[in-house]
Amino acid sequence: MSQAAAELHRARLDRVPVTPFTDRPDGLDIEAAYAVQAEGIALREAAGERVVGGKLGFTSEAMRRAMGVDSPNYGWLTDAMVVEDGEVDLGILIHPKVEPEIAFVLGSQLEGPGVTADDVLAATAQLAPCLEVVDSRYVDFRFRAADNIADDSSAGLLVLGDPVEASALEGVDLRLVGCVVTVDGAVVHTAAGAAAHGNPAEAVAWMANACGSPLLAGYVVIAGGLTPPVDLVPGRRVTVELDRIGSVGLLATKRGDPCPS
């Protein structure tokens, strides 16, 4: 597991993608993939990064169809992934794509088993609009479910909008929250909160029950992409607007060295 984690860690740093582990003779199963993921996060922490939350992957049917996987998964977010100014440097990424999500900012800890959507809502201090920039470390953005899990569910970067207090949204059914994604001013996707596991709060509950460690107070947990991903190229502007929650946008630039792949 250590070798696989180190390979993915180096692929991210060098921006040189690797062959999916499930294509190799030894293969990779789901249990081993989560072990690789955990070792990868430990490598990031050893380099000075700090875990600040969690992420759901493939909670929407649209995303599962787009990526060819059939079940949700989870990964972890670090402080180094958070983009403060909305400007995303594609030069530090390999296969950058972006998707809209609902972010939950926890005011109290969640720990499974037995966490429900109601528990998630009770523990949530704030909600925020989010654009997650995913970035697979595999050749041609091609992978199976286990590969994706090992690769921290394709975690790349995170652009958060201004949060709204959860108390201000009391009584709002998050399943019915509308989502509109625009690219360079043109509407390209629409969806509703129910695209995330039927209910974004249920998605967060799923992670709390599945991940085997507590989701701490202060963590940001993003509930999974609501629409298919949008490819990012230099100069592209992407915005998501979430009804009652707010909007956030990003501008794709390319300041870093070009990816060698």
Side-chain angles (χ1 to χ4, degrees), residues 24 44 52 62 65 78 81-82 107 131 146 205 213 224 252:
R24 305 183 191 188
R44 296 187 74 133
V52 296
R65 284 198 306 268
T78 74
M81 299 178 188
V82 180
L131 287 169
S213 58

Side-chain angles (χ1 to χ4, degrees), residues 5-19:
E7 188 173 341
L8 285 168
H9 188 67
R10 180 52 53 189
R12 177 178 58 82
L13 294 175
D14 293 346
R15 303 185 300 285
V16 178
V18 299
T19 302

Side-chain angles (χ1 to χ4, degrees), residues 57-72 99 141 143 189-191 195 225-229:
F58 306 123
T59 53
S60 81
E61 182 62 30
M63 282 299 300
R64 289 195 288 270
R65 284 198 306 268
M67 295 300 152
V69 299
D70 57 12
S71 62
E99 55 198 49
F141 206 79
F143 48 79
H189 294 303
T190 59
L226 300 174
T227 72

